[in-house]
Amino acid sequence: DTAVSQTPKYLVTQMGNDKSIKCEQNLGHDTMYWYKQDSKKFLKIMFSYNNKELIINETVPNRFSPKSPDKAHLNLHINSLELGDSAVYFCASSQDPRREETQYFGPGTRLLVL
Amino acid sequence: SQQGEEDPQALSIQEGENATMNCSYKTSINNLQWYRQNSGRGLVHLILIRSNEREKHSGRLRVTLDTSKKSSSLLITASRAADTASYFCATPFGGNQFYFGTGTSLTVIP
């Protein structure tokens, strides 16, 4: 009965590879998010997405792209991985972001680029 | 940047003591939220305080908000070892985004 789940939990890959991280929420929320947490625990939003609008943080390289097959899923695809992409990536969801309410986070995916 | 900042960055206390951490932010907000992150886990929502509220309680948690100073504090009373975690404040921005602070790492020594 996990609310927000992510796979894989750990991802180790070589520089230059393309990888995807999957996220699913069973809360019926309309909006999902991707965050990147660096080694200093700084948490930065990358994308917010609902079925009407994708908002991209302007600092996110275009090698990163969110893909949403349906309202319950928001996957993160990363092309040409770089060493600096190593971080923990969190998926989150919320019911109605216009009301600026609580976000529910997944357990995170720990990405290590070698 | 509308990023919040927590203070202190790290805090170590004995079990049973109270822990206070602070958050400062830069712009007007409708609400401010506190989250906890246990080691190796995702963030968990603790409490939300709205801009028209000055104080809010939830169990052993007490949150205050001073919009004139653009600051908030989180007090954990009678701390337990299980409270060991990082604590983040978050402020909404643009209706569908949140800015998180840099976090306070709390260690409660049994």
Side-chain angles (χ1 to χ4, degrees):
Chain A
D1 60 346
T2 303
V4 182
S5 59
Q6 296 178 228
T7 55
K9 188 172 182 178
Y10 299 95
L11 183 56
V12 181
T13 187
Q14 296 288 328
M15 202 166 50
N17 284 349
D18 302 338
K19 290 294 179 183
S20 292
I21 306 172
K22 295 184 177 181
C23 177
E24 176 181 2
Q25 54 96 3
N26 62 6
L27 297 168
H29 287 169
D30 291 327
T31 302
M32 298 180 72
Y33 310 81
W34 277 106
Y35 287 86
K36 178 181 180 181
Q37 187 175 46
D38 63 21
S39 58
K40 296 183 179 179
K41 294 193 174 181
F42 174 52
L43 197 67
K44 184 175 76 172
I45 188 163
M46 302 176 70
F47 305 99
S48 67
Y49 181 80
N50 62 26
N51 59 2
K52 298 178 182 177
E53 188 175 25
L54 169 66
I55 294 183
I56 303 172
N57 185 315
E58 61 185 12
T59 66
V60 175
N62 58 15
R63 298 181 295 103
F64 291 79
S65 57
K67 298 185 189 302
S68 180
D70 56 58
K71 196 176 85 166
H73 297 82
L74 183 65
N75 304 324
L76 181 64
H77 189 75
I78 315 170
N79 290 326
S80 303
L81 278 156
E82 301 178 357
L83 296 177
D85 298 333
S86 295
V88 183
Y89 292 84
F90 288 99
C91 177
S93 71
S94 66
Q95 175 58 38
D96 184 354
R98 292 168 299 177
R99 296 174 59 191
E100 300 174 339
E101 298 289 350
T102 303
Q103 295 200 335
Y104 294 81
F105 282 79
T109 295
R110 285 138 192 88
L111 171 64
L112 177 61
V113 182
L114 302 175
Chain B
S1 169
Q2 299 185 39
Q3 178 182 337
E5 294 186 1
E6 286 89 347
D7 171 62
Q9 286 190 329
L11 180 60
S12 183
I13 60 174
Q14 295 289 331
E15 198 166 31
E17 294 180 340
N18 296 342
T20 300
M21 51 206 87
N22 305 295
C23 168
S24 60
Y25 57 93
K26 297 183 178 180
T27 64
S28 298
I29 56 173
N30 293 323
N31 70 63
L32 183 142
Q33 302 175 32
W34 284 91
Y35 288 77
R36 182 187 73 228
Q37 184 180 30
N38 290 87
S39 180
R41 301 289 189 90
L43 280 74
V44 175
H45 179 260
L46 293 176
I47 195 166
L48 180 154
I49 186 166
R50 301 196 182 278
S51 58
N52 61 354
E53 297 175 307
R54 291 296 170 260
E55 187 171 310
K56 197 166 184 179
H57 296 252
S58 176
R60 294 183 296 111
L61 306 180
R62 189 187 83 168
V63 170
T64 63
L65 180 64
D66 187 336
T67 53
S68 65
K69 295 181 179 179
K70 293 187 168 58
S71 67
S72 174
S73 68
L74 171 67
L75 168 67
I76 305 174
T77 60
S79 63
R80 306 167 182 170
D83 295 328
T84 294
S86 292
Y87 293 81
F88 295 85
C89 66
T91 53
F93 170 72
N96 56 3
Q97 300 187 59
F98 284 81
Y99 281 92
F100 283 81
T102 50
T104 292
S105 178
L106 173 65
T107 301
V108 180
I109 303 168

